[in-house]
Amino acid sequence: MNLNPPSYTFLEADKTEEMLHLFKGERTGWVQVGEKKWFFPYRYTEQGSAFYHFKARPSDTWVLSYPRSGTTWTMELVWLLKNNLDFNTAGKKTLAERFPFLEFSMFNHPEVTRTLLEWNKGDVSKQQLCKEIARPGYEVLDAFSSPRFIKSHFPFSLLPNILDSGCKIVYVARNPKDVAVSWYIQNKAFVTQGYIGDFPTFWNYFKNDLTAWSPYWEHLKEAWAQKDHPNVLFMFYEEMQADLLSSIKKISNFLGKVYSDEELSKLLDYLDIKNFKNNPMVNSEELQECGVLLMNGVFVRKGKSGNWKSTFTEDLEKEAEEWISENLKDTDLVFPTE
């Protein structure tokens, strides 16, 4: 393990000025980290080293992904499988409490946090939530007793301790066209990103590795390279949608758990998107109440593949297909058909 985190450079001034006009949640700028130029808001300069040195424990269970890849659905599934289908606790504690997001603090610009505190003046519990989500996950999780459940969108190369720690890691991937559309909607919905532009402009940023946690392809390829690691399970969101029962059994086996057909049937019903998207414990209602999330129904959305078709123009689709083909030509990574 390299003890020194990769160096970073600030995004060029002209591009920074352009993007600050469109991403209102960031007020300072962005950095590009390491040789692959991982893209993060400026708070990475303050917190990145501590995230890089964060120590995973053997008893941890992680869910990793590029954003908007079916992460929330997978997290709830993993948590329930590991916790003997404890629907009672899952109905009382938010998923964010049970499965903390390691690096969300990087997206809480101090000026935005001050605004949120002002909006919630007079409501102590909402103000506390605004302060809590701005706390670095390495501080929060260090204080957690084991076993811990951890969500992260960091690529493997920025979590160098994780593979040798003995912990279990489920990585979920999704086709880039659906990712881009869902990521666009979420960037518009969260004040921490505050995107006010249109989709073609966002697509251009995404394709050119200028949205957070990009580059998308390097993210997936780093995970794909670890697919045969005994403590890594690589899943496609599309395969989970196509045959959830088989996916549940696959993940359950990976986690060393066994359940009866009756128990699995109950879990299938619980995870059905019609029920899941209305579950206040997983759809970030608490963030909506304190003003971080501006639009209802965007965190857990339709849960379907192919929704990109209603957003992409014919020209954008052609461009996307060429971009996908170019990036898949030197790999055996193949997305399941929609």
Side-chain angles (χ1 to χ4, degrees), residues 9 85 91 97 103 109 112 116 130 141 182 187 191 195 249 253 288 290 297 306:
T9 57
L85 306 188
E97 293 175 279
E103 70 269 21
H109 193 284
V112 173
L116 290 168
C130 293
L141 283 155
S182 189
N187 271 263
V191 298
Y195 180 68
K249 290 178 178 178
N253 182 63
Q288 188 176 347
C290 71

Side-chain angles (χ1 to χ4, degrees), residues 314-332:
E314 197 172 304
D315 286 344
L316 278 184
E317 182 182 350
K318 182 173 182 292
E319 181 183 304
E321 290 300 333
E322 291 174 355
W323 177 69
I324 292 168
S325 296
E326 177 66 23
N327 281 282
L328 287 178
K329 69 181 183 182
D330 296 324
T331 176
D332 59 349

Side-chain angles (χ1 to χ4, degrees), residues 56-71:
R57 301 172 188 166
S59 55
D60 287 346
T61 305
W62 292 63
V63 169
L64 301 183
S65 68
Y66 187 89
R68 309 311 294 164
S69 297
T71 322

Side-chain angles (χ1 to χ4, degrees), residues 15-16 42 45 52 77 89 111 174 198 268-269 281 290:
K15 183 61 72 173
T16 297
Y42 101 100
T45 65
Y52 188 80
L77 168 55
T89 300
E111 291 178 24
R174 187 184 191 186
D198 58 18
L268 274 171
D269 184 63
M281 294 298 105
C290 71

Side-chain angles (χ1 to χ4, degrees), residues 77 145 170 276 296 299 323:
L77 168 55
S145 58
V170 177
F276 195 69
N296 188 28
F299 200 76
W323 177 69

Side-chain angles (χ1 to χ4, degrees), residues 274-306:
K274 295 191 297 292
N275 301 321
F276 195 69
K277 69 181 181 181
N278 295 316
N279 182 343
M281 294 298 105
V282 302
N283 63 19
S284 295
E285 282 188 14
E286 72 278 7
L287 296 182
Q288 188 176 347
E289 288 176 4
C290 71
V292 177
L293 180 58
L294 297 176
M295 291 186 278
N296 188 28
V298 297
F299 200 76
V300 176
R301 295 178 62 242
K302 298 178 182 179
K304 295 179 181 177
S305 292

